Amino acid sequence: MQDPKVLDDRPVLKEETVEQDVLWNRVIELELVAHPNHPRPEIVKMDYPMVDGVLKVRVRAAHSGYMLRRWCVDCSPDHRLAARDFPLWLKEPLDLYGSEAELAPGYVDPRAGNGKKIRAM
């Protein structure tokens, strides 16, 4: 932001309240596993506190894409991204439906049809 101004004398409108921010208030649980194409999945499993090979992560829907990018998680439905770059894979990409997943590497919006990516990664 450039040159922000505090508006102390203006009331907060209803649509500006945190209660109205659906993506901020929605928490989703994602299941991450070692990338199916990783040459040493046992090493990946040792790097994370996985239970039975699954790391369950709860994240606000508004932050999901950013978190998955930072953690280098392949979110493609067919785990097509390079395992050397993405040691983790999102077990169920549909868990991201309706969240801010545009930043998630390899994510395909199910509304796009024909496997069309919404945003190139």
Side-chain angles (χ1 to χ4, degrees):
M1 291 188 294
Q2 289 182 327
D3 196 28
K5 295 182 181 17
V6 177
L7 303 174
D8 286 328
D9 57 343
R10 184 180 67 84
V12 176
L13 301 175
K14 181 180 178 185
E15 62 269 14
E16 297 174 333
T17 63
V18 71
E19 294 81 20
Q20 299 300 310
D21 191 336
V22 175
L23 291 176
W24 179 258
N25 288 305
R26 182 172 164 229
V27 176
I28 56 177
E29 183 172 273
L30 306 174
E31 292 187 351
L32 309 179
V33 297
H35 196 288
N37 299 329
H38 198 281
R40 299 285 308 273
E42 69 277 8
I43 301 295
V44 176
K45 291 175 185 177
M46 289 172 30
D47 286 341
Y48 298 91
M50 294 186 174
V51 175
D52 295 325
V54 177
L55 174 63
K56 293 185 179 185
V57 180
R58 291 174 53 87
V59 63
R60 292 187 184 278
H63 287 173
S64 59
Y66 175 76
M67 184 278 293
L68 291 162
R69 177 174 285 277
R70 294 283 299 187
W71 282 28
C72 299
V73 178
D74 178 354
C75 299
S76 65
D78 57 356
H79 48 78
R80 70 176 165 272
L81 301 182
R84 71 179 183 284
D85 298 326
F86 299 91
L88 295 170
W89 179 60
L90 180 62
K91 189 174 177 181
E92 181 50 75
L94 284 175
D95 289 344
L96 290 176
Y97 185 76
S99 69
E100 289 293 308
E102 291 82 19
L103 292 176
Y107 178 69
V108 176
D109 189 319
R111 296 170 295 182
N114 299 330
K116 178 183 167 193
K117 290 175 85 170
I118 295 298
R119 182 176 189 178
M121 290 295 149

